[in-house]
Amino acid sequence: MLREGMESLGNRSVTVHPRYFERLLLLTSQKACAEYFLGDNPPKGSYCNGTWDNIYCWPPTPAGYDIYMPCPEHLFFDGTKVLAYRVCNDRGEWELKNWTNYTACINYPIPPDVPLLFAVRDIYFVGSSISLVLLAATFFIFCYFRRLQCDRIKIHKHLVLSLILRFIVLIVLLQPYLGINGYDNSYLNSPFICRSMLVLSQYFSMTNVFWMLIEGLFLYMRCVVAVFHYISSLKVFYIIGWVVPVCFVVAWTVVMALYDKHQCWLDYSDLPYAWIVSGPIVLALLVNLYVLLHILAVLVTKLNADQRVPNYSEHLKALKALFVLLPLLGLTNVLFFVNPKDGGIGDHIFQVFNAVIQSSQGIFVSLIYCFTNAEVQAVIRDKLAVIKMKQSVYNNGGATTKKNDYTVTSQGGTRV
C-alpha cells in the first residue's frame, strides 16, 4: 500500500500529491526534513528513508519504487510537467548514493523571459522603495506646514497617500529575496492572503489614477472654466478618489472569486474580467489627456492674443510646463498601455518601460509637487531660518546669563 500523500503512476512509480508537495516545499533544510518524518518509522527495508538533497525534502518511498516531483525551475512559470526523480531499490535504499536525477530539469529549456521577469521585479522593487521614501517625506511636509494648507495641497496629499499605500502593497507582493522558487517560507502561500494583497493592489492602482484624474480636473477648472469656487467642499473629490474605485474593485473581486480558481489569480491580466478595473482606468487617462490638450490649446490662444508677434520662446515654455504634467496626470501609462505579447523585443520593451514608469511615479510626484516647488522651498527656508534664529538667541542668551551670574559688591569684592 502506497504511503499517504503519494499517487501511483503505474510500473512501480509514484508521484507526490500537489497538496503534500506544497508542505514539503516548506522544509528547506536537512534538520527540518528529518524532524518532519521523525515520528514516522516504516519497517526497515520496506521504505527508503525521507531525505534532504539540498533542493527538496523527499518523503519515505516504498522499496522498489521510483518517486517523482516537479522540477523547481518550472514550478511557478508554466504548467509543463517536467519531473525530477529518485530511485528506491528493493532493499529500501536510495540508488546511486542518495542521488536525485534532475537531468530532465536541466535539459528542459528555461523560458527566455525568466531573467527578464527577475529584472522587471527588481526594477519595481528598487523604484518603489525610492518612491516610498520620497513620498513619505512629501506627505510629512504637506501635513506639517500650516502655510501649505489649501485645496490644491489637500488634493496633492491624497494623491501622495494613495501612492504610498500602493507602493507598500507592491513591495510586500514582490519580496525579491525569497529565493529562486519565490514562495518558500512565505505567508503568501495562503490563497486568502495572496488574493487579498492582489485586491489591495488593484484598488490602490485605481485610486492613484482617479486622484490623478482629480488633479487634472482641478487644473482644468483653474485654467479653463474657473468654476471651482462654486464647490463648497472637497467631498465630491474624496468620493471620486476613494469610494468610486471600491465599487469597481468589489465587482472585479466577486467575478474572480466565482470564475477563477487559481490559487493567487496570477492570470488575472489575461482574463476579460480585467476590464472591470482597466476600463475605468483607461477612461480616466483619456479624460486627463483631453484636459492636457485643451489647456495647451487655451494657453497658445492666449499667448497669440496677448502678443502681436508670436513669441515662440513663450510657447516653448508653456509646452515644457505641460510636458512636466504627463507623469503627474498618469499619461505616461497611455504610451504603452497595450502589451504586444509577441515574446520578442516589443514585449521586453513594454515590460521594462512600464516597470520604470510605474515604479518612478512617486519620484516624479515628490520632486515636482514638493521638492522643486517654489512655495514649498520658501516655507522650508523660513522654517530653517526660524530654527537658526532661535539657536542664535539661545546661544547669545546663554552667554549673557553666564556673565550676569557674577556681580560686583560695594566693597569691590566679587561674589557668585
Side-chain angles (χ1 to χ4, degrees), residues 62 69 72 103 133 140 147 178 183 190 204 219 232 258 276-277 280 282 290 336 349 359:
M69 290 207 292
T103 304
V133 172
F140 171 78
R147 282 171 53 187
L178 284 177
Y183 280 81
S190 166
F204 290 125
L219 184 64
S232 59
L258 291 175
I276 298 175
V277 173
V282 172
Y290 168 79
F336 281 83
I349 292 174
S359 65

Side-chain angles (χ1 to χ4, degrees), residues 96-255:
L96 300 177
K97 297 182 178 179
N98 237 10
W99 180 68
T100 303
N101 192 326
Y102 287 103
T103 304
C105 306
I106 298 172
N107 292 337
Y108 184 79
I110 296 176
D113 60 343
V114 170
L116 176 67
L117 291 176
F118 288 153
V120 169
R121 176 204 62 187
D122 292 339
I123 291 172
Y124 267 114
F125 183 81
V126 173
S128 298
S129 300
I130 297 173
S131 291
L132 183 59
V133 172
L134 294 178
L135 288 168
T138 298
F139 190 74
F140 171 78
I141 291 171
F142 284 164
C143 293
Y144 180 77
F145 293 103
R146 294 182 179 179
R147 282 171 53 187
L148 297 176
Q149 304 308 310
C150 62
D151 290 340
R152 175 174 54 84
I153 297 298
K154 287 179 181 178
I155 293 174
H156 292 347
K157 282 198 296 186
H158 283 272
L159 172 60
V160 168
L161 179 60
S162 70
L163 285 167
I164 288 175
L165 296 173
R166 183 193 174 203
F167 285 126
I168 290 175
V169 172
L170 273 178
I171 290 172
V172 172
L173 279 173
L174 290 171
Q175 303 180 87
Y177 303 112
L178 284 177
I180 186 70
N181 292 328
Y183 280 81
D184 46 328
N185 290 328
S186 171
Y187 52 85
L188 291 180
N189 272 325
S190 166
F192 174 77
I193 295 178
C194 186
R195 291 179 178 183
S196 298
M197 295 301 296
L198 186 60
V199 169
L200 288 176
S201 176
Q202 293 289 89
Y203 172 69
F204 290 125
S205 294
M206 284 201 75
T207 58
N208 290 167
V209 175
F210 274 52
W211 277 106
M212 290 174 181
L213 171 64
I214 292 169
E215 292 278 1
L217 294 176
F218 183 82
L219 184 64
Y220 185 79
M221 292 173 179
R222 292 283 296 270
C223 298
V224 180
V225 296
V227 296
F228 188 75
H229 59 279
Y230 289 110
I231 300 178
S232 59
S233 70
L234 297 175
K235 290 182 179 178
V236 175
F237 284 162
Y238 295 157
I239 292 173
I240 294 174
W242 295 112
V243 179
V244 173
V246 172
C247 302
F248 292 105
V249 173
V250 167
W252 175 80
T253 304
V254 171
V255 171

Side-chain angles (χ1 to χ4, degrees), residues 257-324:
L258 291 175
Y259 298 106
D260 190 351
K261 302 305 179 183
H262 194 282
Q263 178 176 341
C264 198
W265 294 342
L266 296 179
D267 56 346
Y268 75 94
S269 61
D270 298 325
L271 301 175
Y273 319 128
W275 284 101
I276 298 175
V277 173
S278 300
I281 289 177
V282 172
L283 181 61
L285 293 176
L286 291 177
V287 171
N288 269 354
L289 180 61
Y290 168 79
V291 166
L292 192 67
L293 294 177
H294 196 171
I295 292 174
L296 177 60
V298 170
L299 287 178
V300 171
T301 302
K302 288 184 177 180
L303 287 173
N304 291 337
D306 295 340
Q307 301 168 358
R308 294 181 179 179
V309 179
N311 188 337
Y312 294 106
S313 64
E314 293 296 326
H315 291 177
L316 185 60
K317 289 180 181 178
L319 188 61
K320 287 181 178 178
L322 291 177
F323 183 77
V324 170

